[in-house]
Amino acid sequence: MTFPEDFVWGAATASYQIEGATREDGRGQSIWDTFSRTAGKVIAGDTGDTACDHYHRYADDVRLMRSLNLGAYRFSVSWPRVQPSGSGPVNARGLDFYDRLVDELLKADISPYLTLYHWDLPQPLEDLGGWPHRDTAYRFAEYAQAVHDRLGDRVREWTTLNEPWVSAFLGYGSGVHAPGRTDADAAARAAHHLLLGHGLAAGALRAAGARGIMLVINSAPVMTRAQVLDPDAEVSAADATAIELTDALLTRQFLDPVLLGRYPEAAPAARHALDGDLEIISAPIDLVGVNYYNPCVVAAAPDAPADPAWPGLRGVAFHDLPGIPATAMGWPVVPHGLSRLLVRLSRAYPRTGLMVTENGAAFEDHVSGGRVHDEERLAYLREHIGAVADALEQGADVRGYLVWSLLDNFEWAEGYRRRFGIVHVDYATQERTPKDSALWYRDVIAGNRL
Ligand code: FCB
């Protein structure tokens, strides 16, 4: 299978997961600094204080990207580096770092895909109420404007938010992510204000001349166990209702307001919309980024208990998939879920192109003789890139594929024990070793074919 000529190939990372240097050059503190230093929140008490030391090693890392033929690099800007208190004056030294990074990427002929928010909210804004507090949306748009003022002459691809479902419902609902609150109502408010912040920022970026504006969501096809084994399996009426409701909360709660200007009826975020909000939220965007790891497997279950990560969900149970191979995260490997998802999103929102902005897998890796033979990751990537090819053949409008992640890094509440990189990082020496999957991916990119 050959991919379209202008198909974008790349890799993704996020600021708190790789940069380190959490107290340098005037950077303020984020909710992840606070959360990771709170006992019991992150496995082994890991923090992002050093991470991959990318803040100091970015030039070498860009050389590495170049050697892997990457055409695009998706990274995020740390809001507290740019605005240590979350509002007001800009910390020029913080922006200097991204300025250097962008120049280095452009010199290497790699397109910067800049994400404004990948979960590191300035702690002072959380202290004022965080995303459940409406003002945060306005602060986000001001910050977006400040970053664009500095980098808009060179960065063409702008993402407002990464995975607002996760920020809202894991950050404020289940509390497994920062800031670790467990309040379903606050989570629903956060979801609406994240969307409002997205719309305000998208409007401000557009007014400033930006063209490639994207929202990145964590999406998944919602399916029954039987459909995982056989995509054409029949689904009972009760299961179909469970699927529809789950999908409305996971995907449509975010894409319908942005792309269609309305919330699905079931969305708890809708309760917090004021007059005029949906016009702001539905500011035109250019692409939707889809992060896919595994399907969401459900069944109707009238007595299922309420889940704080899923306000609005009733009568649905989540299932695991015994017998299906899984990654080190325990996430089942279901490549056909990605084709299903891309085809479905392209049909539901035909005016907006898609990009796979994250896909990848954690496995136990070992360096031996300067090599990492990560056959399982290589197979995962091959099968999922194949699924993208299938989706293209079925008419889905997919513009590119970015692997998660370039480097092993700080995997949030899982700390450093989960390795998602196509490049191995030895955290004691900061040595980088491209894994076999990276070398394979380099050749896929060179040939633009599988
Ligand atoms: C996604 C996140 C990313 C990474 C992967 C494994 O939800 O966007 O930062 O942690 O999962």
Side-chain angles (χ1 to χ4, degrees):
M1 167 75 196
T2 304
F3 286 81
E5 220 174 280
D6 51 359
F7 195 78
V8 176
W9 296 102
T13 64
S15 48
Y16 190 72
Q17 296 183 273
I18 65 162
E19 286 178 359
T22 54
R23 297 183 190 277
E24 268 176 69
D25 294 335
R27 177 187 179 278
Q29 296 297 289
S30 79
I31 55 175
W32 271 96
D33 294 288
T34 310
F35 190 77
S36 63
R37 285 183 201 127
T38 307
K41 297 298 187 191
V42 175
I43 293 207
D46 289 343
T47 73
D49 284 346
T50 307
C52 307
D53 194 31
H54 173 74
Y55 191 76
H56 300 113
R57 294 167 195 266
Y58 70 94
D60 286 341
D61 288 340
V62 172
R63 270 190 283 282
L64 183 61
M65 293 177 213
R66 164 114 196 147
S67 76
L68 297 177
N69 292 334
L70 303 192
Y73 174 52
R74 174 176 178 253
F75 63 96
S76 79
V77 172
S78 157
W79 185 351
R81 271 194 208 289
V82 175
Q83 282 181 307
S85 60
S87 62
V90 160
N91 171 38
R93 285 181 298 166
L95 274 173
D96 289 346
F97 168 66
Y98 299 103
D99 202 281
R100 294 192 295 272
L101 172 62
V102 163
D103 283 345
E104 205 66 32
L105 288 166
L106 293 174
K107 263 199 301 188
D109 219 8
I110 299 169
S111 304
Y113 277 65
L114 184 153
T115 298
L116 287 159
Y117 187 72
H118 200 127
W119 307 352
D120 41 2
L121 185 72
Q123 182 63 41
L125 291 184
E126 176 58 25
D127 296 341
L128 293 170
W131 285 110
H133 185 51
R134 190 175 165 93
D135 285 357
T136 303
Y138 292 86
R139 299 295 83 76
F140 176 64
E142 291 160 9
Y143 152 70
Q145 178 83 57
V147 178
H148 189 275
D149 285 349
R150 181 71 178 271
L151 301 174
D153 59 337
R154 283 156 290 155
V155 173
R156 294 275 154 266
E157 308 295 335
W158 293 82
T159 293
T160 53
L161 306 173
N162 177 69
E163 302 189 352
W165 185 92
V166 171
S167 297
F169 296 107
L170 301 188
Y172 296 92
S174 72
V176 304
H177 277 194
R181 281 158 68 178
T182 48
D183 174 346
D185 187 61
R189 271 177 210 284
H192 179 67
H193 296 147
L194 281 152
L195 284 166
L196 182 62
H198 156 79
L200 290 165
L205 293 170
R206 179 83 59 199
R211 289 298 170 262
I213 301 175
M214 169 152 69
L215 172 71
V216 168
I217 61 162
N218 53 300
S219 194
V222 185
M223 344 175 45
T224 61
R225 265 183 192 158
Q227 286 179 303
V228 172
L229 301 173
D230 168 9
D232 300 319
E234 260 179 55
V235 173
S236 70
D239 284 347
T241 305
I243 288 173
E244 204 184 307
L245 177 57
T246 311
D247 180 65
L249 299 178
L250 177 65
T251 298
R252 290 182 48 219
Q253 178 158 221
F254 295 89
L255 290 188
D256 283 11
V258 170
L259 300 176
L260 308 176
R262 56 170 189 265
Y263 273 114
E265 218 176 292
R271 289 199 298 274
H272 305 290
L274 304 184
D275 277 354
D277 283 0
L278 281 160
E279 277 90 272
I280 297 171
I281 292 172
S282 58
I285 60 170
D286 303 289
L287 271 186
V288 166
V290 179
N291 295 349
Y292 172 79
Y293 293 92
N294 54 269
C296 184
V297 183
V298 302
D303 303 326
D307 181 332
W310 290 88
L313 196 70
R314 300 274 172 282
V316 177
F318 294 100
H319 281 178
D320 48 18
L321 291 169
I324 299 260
T327 70
M329 297 289 279
W331 297 348
V333 178
V334 185
H336 69 76
L338 179 56
S339 345
R340 188 184 186 94
L341 176 65
L342 294 169
V343 169
R344 184 244 151 169
L345 292 177
S346 230
R347 288 189 186 146
Y349 309 99
R351 286 198 305 252
T352 313
L354 304 172
M355 178 171 284
V356 177
T357 37
E358 286 183 26
N359 174 244
F363 289 106
E364 308 276 337
D365 296 316
H366 304 284
V367 188
S368 78
R371 298 289 298 268
V372 179
H373 299 304
D374 60 338
E375 298 99 5
E376 289 167 304
R377 183 176 295 97
L378 195 158
Y380 180 101
L381 297 180
R382 188 178 50 226
E383 287 163 15
H384 284 79
I385 292 171
V388 174
D390 286 348
L392 282 164
E393 257 171 21
Q394 292 175 60
D397 180 5
V398 190
R399 313 283 177 83
Y401 175 91
L402 311 180
V403 62
W404 183 271
S405 182
L406 176 70
L407 303 171
D408 290 337
N409 60 48
F410 175 81
E411 177 48 34
W412 310 113
E414 300 285 325
Y416 295 100
R417 71 171 181 161
R418 295 293 178 235
R419 293 179 175 273
F420 273 92
I422 53 171
V423 174
H424 181 274
V425 176
D426 178 333
Y427 294 109
T429 61
Q430 291 297 344
E431 192 182 345
R432 274 69 163 145
T433 307
K435 304 177 191 176
D436 287 356
S437 58
L439 305 177
W440 171 85
Y441 189 47
R442 174 193 67 192
D443 297 342
V444 169
I445 299 174
N448 198 34
R449 61 185 304 168
L450 204 54

